[in-house]
């Protein structure tokens, strides 16, 4: 999710849950990731530079080189391990994708699985690019049958599971503190969303990525996220001006962004259900909530986008006509889509470039923190330089007060 995609950061994707957290907390305007998922996630959970954790690149590209073997040293305990040893329930839900791929068997080894990194319970998927309608899921160390419900969506399932974990804990150990790592598959490709959510965005992006980029920048300045003097970098030569594209190209590209926005809005809604459960239990105000993105918006859809990302990864991007054949169900179960790189450009406003690049568009991202019982700030901005590695030590400083409050 790019810096300029969510509504609290001036973007076009409606995220009322995230906005409510920002209103009750702070937005960090100078927060940094590593530009790729595996590296950012270990930096978050283990509080160290990703090279020191063996994750200098995506875990799927592991090698024997120091810093790139995807094996976290035992000297680097995770936040979940430390919290578990200090009386917390620890749960991981959703995407993992931060361990040696050769260990992905029902027989382990489990050292780098969630259970080996301090999480008592796990429900989710082990790799990236997961189908949101028909995912390959695991519960702890057991593979599950692929869901067959025609109304199934992974974000809803992950929210249901998180709510059940919270209820189970309250039934057996009321008042016990918890650490919930909720790693939604949204808005990683494939950009899958229920039809009703896709319909909400019909026509919203017909003016194109150039217009959206300007509109987002203006909104960011209005919100105080950026100085008034900020200007946009030039559009890269390989991204066409919206007005230079044919009618079919524009129609298809707008549809691509509709699916992405729908997936992200839907995930925001499902995350809101988890917060509603905490509110019902009377625990929301005393829960430290952090929402962040592990890298900038992705340009992996290429110049024209793709109805099947795996085709593009294989080096055979679909033609315009092949993409148009999937127009009606774009973002639905018969597609595996990713939007065109022009939307990633707009999504990383005001920065240049994208996910996987060590450039502001790849490493600068949105972050929101809310903790009404422990933090006086309401609706404020923070512009100091921060990075994923700062989260763990900061949380550790808060643990004693959090435990006392619980």
């Amino acid at each position: 999710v790019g810096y300029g995609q969510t509504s609290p950061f001036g973007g076009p994707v409606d995220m009322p849950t995230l906005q409510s957290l920002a209103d009750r907390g702070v937005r960090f305007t100078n927060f940094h990731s590593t530009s790729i998922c595996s590296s950012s996630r270990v930096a978050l959970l283990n509080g160290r530079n990703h090279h020191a954790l063996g994750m200098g690149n995506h875990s799927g590209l592991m090698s024997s080189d120091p810093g790139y073997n995807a094996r976290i040293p035992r000297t680097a305990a995770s936040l979940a391990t430390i919290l578990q040893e200090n009386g917390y329930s620890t749960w991981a839900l959703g995407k993992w994708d931060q361990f040696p791929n050769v260990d992905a068997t029902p027989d382990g080894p489990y050292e780098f699985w969630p259970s080996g990194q301090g999480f008592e319970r796990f429900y989710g998927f082990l790799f990236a690019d997961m189908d949101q309608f028909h995912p390959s899921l695991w519960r702890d160390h057991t593979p599950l049958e692929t869901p067959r419900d025609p109304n199934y969506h992974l974000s809803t399932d992950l929210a249901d599971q998180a709510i059940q974990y919270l209820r189970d804990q309250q039934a057996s150990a009321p008042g016990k503190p918890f650490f919930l790592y909720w790693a939604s598959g949204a808005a990683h490709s494939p950009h899958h969303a229920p039809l009703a959510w896709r319909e909400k965005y019909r026509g919203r992006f017909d003016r194109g990525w150039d217009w959206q980029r300007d509109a987002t920048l203006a909104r960011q300045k209005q919100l105080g996220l950026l100085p008034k003097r900020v200007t946009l970098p030039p559009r890269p030569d390989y991204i066409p001006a919206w007005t230079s594209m044919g009618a079919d190209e524009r129609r298809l590209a707008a549809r691509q962004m509709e699916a992405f926005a729908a997936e992200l809005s839907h995930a925001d809604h499902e995350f809101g259900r988890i917060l509603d459960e905490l509110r019902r239990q009377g625990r929301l105000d005393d829960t430290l909530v952090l929402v962040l993105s592990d890298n900038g918006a992705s340009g992996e859809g290429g110049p024209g986008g793709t109805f099947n990302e795996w085709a593009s990864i294989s080096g055979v991007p679909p033609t315009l006509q092949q993409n148009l054949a999937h127009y009606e169900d774009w973002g639905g179960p018969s597609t595996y889509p990713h939007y065109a790189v022009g939307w990633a450009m707009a999504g990383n406003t005001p920065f240049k470039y994208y996910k996987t690049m060590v450039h502001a568009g790849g490493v600068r991202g949105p972050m929101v923190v809310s903790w009404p019982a422990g933090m006086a700030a309401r609706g404020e901005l923070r512009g100091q330089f921060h990075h994923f590695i700062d989260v763990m030590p900061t949380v550790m400083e808060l643990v004693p007060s959090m435990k006392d409050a619980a």
Side-chain angles (χ1 to χ4, degrees):
V1 176
Y3 189 91
Q5 288 181 320
T6 70
S7 50
F9 281 79
V13 181
D14 299 329
M15 299 188 70
T17 300
L18 188 60
Q19 185 65 59
S20 70
L21 292 171
D23 292 342
R24 290 157 50 89
V26 296
R27 281 168 290 175
F28 287 78
T29 63
N30 195 15
F31 191 78
H32 294 75
S33 69
T34 71
S35 86
I36 193 74
C37 56
S38 302
S39 303
S40 292
R41 290 160 191 256
V42 296
L44 172 73
L45 292 174
N46 297 77
R48 306 189 188 196
N49 180 281
H50 50 295
H51 292 89
L53 298 168
M55 211 72 68
N57 203 335
H58 189 276
S59 59
L61 301 174
M62 59 178 286
S63 71
S64 59
D65 297 327
Y68 296 88
N69 62 7
R71 298 181 182 277
I72 300 170
R74 294 186 178 182
T75 53
S78 77
L79 176 60
T81 297
I82 295 170
L83 292 179
Q84 184 191 59
E85 292 177 354
N86 282 273
Y88 280 66
S89 298
T90 55
W91 314 310
L93 294 108
K95 181 180 176 182
W96 190 243
D97 199 30
Q98 55 211 56
F99 72 136
N101 292 179
V102 294
D103 291 358
T105 76
D107 194 41
Y110 303 126
E111 181 179 358
F112 305 107
W113 284 54
S115 62
Q117 295 296 307
F119 289 103
E120 297 170 311
R121 304 176 74 177
F122 170 65
Y123 181 86
F125 53 101
L126 298 176
F127 303 113
D129 286 78
M130 184 51 60
D131 190 316
Q132 303 289 288
F133 295 111
H134 309 100
S136 299
L137 296 173
W138 295 71
R139 188 181 297 280
D140 301 322
H141 304 141
T142 303
L144 303 177
E145 185 175 344
T146 301
R148 300 182 183 276
D149 182 351
N151 297 315
Y152 178 91
H153 192 280
L154 182 57
S155 292
T156 303
D157 188 9
L158 293 176
D160 289 344
Q161 296 291 327
I163 291 168
Q164 192 60 54
Y165 284 0
L166 290 165
R167 291 176 177 174
D168 290 347
Q169 186 208 46
Q170 283 296 92
S172 58
K176 184 179 180 180
F178 69 90
F179 174 42
L180 169 62
Y181 176 71
W182 198 76
S184 165
H188 196 292
S189 59
H191 298 154
H192 280 159
L195 178 59
W197 287 84
R198 283 179 272 147
E199 290 298 316
K200 288 176 181 288
Y201 283 96
R202 281 275 193 172
R204 288 273 293 271
F205 301 103
D206 290 353
R207 287 175 288 192
W209 47 62
D210 293 321
W211 180 91
Q212 185 59 62
R213 200 178 182 212
D214 290 336
T216 297
L217 181 69
R219 179 64 174 156
Q220 289 171 334
K221 291 179 180 181
Q222 179 185 357
L223 293 172
L225 299 166
L226 300 174
K228 299 294 185 182
R229 67 179 184 275
V230 170
T231 59
L232 291 171
R235 177 174 10 87
D237 293 340
Y238 50 83
I239 299 177
W242 186 261
T243 55
S244 73
M245 296 163 57
D248 281 345
E249 290 177 298
R250 294 196 302 268
R251 181 167 64 97
L252 175 66
R255 186 70 157 174
Q256 295 169 359
M257 185 59 191
E258 291 170 8
F260 171 87
E263 183 182 45
L264 190 53
S265 282
H266 178 245
D268 178 82
H269 168 78
E270 297 301 334
F271 182 56
R273 292 177 51 228
I274 301 173
L275 300 186
D276 287 343
E277 177 61 24
L278 287 169
R279 185 180 291 109
R280 187 190 69 81
Q281 294 182 9
R283 296 205 283 174
L284 181 58
D285 283 356
D286 195 40
T287 299
L288 174 64
V289 181
L290 302 94
V291 182
L292 33 76
S293 171
D294 53 7
N295 44 242
S298 170
E300 293 162 338
T306 176
F307 78 92
N308 181 355
E309 191 189 17
W310 287 108
S312 297
I313 291 173
S314 301
V316 189
T319 65
L320 173 62
Q321 293 307 314
Q322 288 173 324
N323 274 336
L324 282 171
H326 298 272
Y327 176 86
E328 289 299 331
D329 194 44
W330 196 281
S334 70
T335 67
Y336 215 84
H338 195 299
Y339 57 29
V341 69
W343 290 119
M345 172 189 68
N348 287 326
T349 300
F351 306 115
K352 192 175 183 179
Y353 298 133
Y354 329 98
K355 168 189 172 183
T356 74
M357 300 181 184
V358 186
H359 193 282
V363 301
R364 282 280 287 276
M367 177 174 169
V368 173
V369 177
S370 174
W371 186 25
M375 193 168 65
R378 297 289 185 275
E380 298 180 16
L381 304 177
R382 297 289 183 270
Q384 305 95 324
F385 181 97
H386 289 99
H387 190 276
F388 263 63
I389 62 174
D390 297 318
V391 173
M392 177 181 174
T394 302
V395 171
M396 294 312 304
E397 289 187 19
L398 301 175
V399 165
S401 61
M402 288 168 66
K403 287 182 66 177
D404 291 342

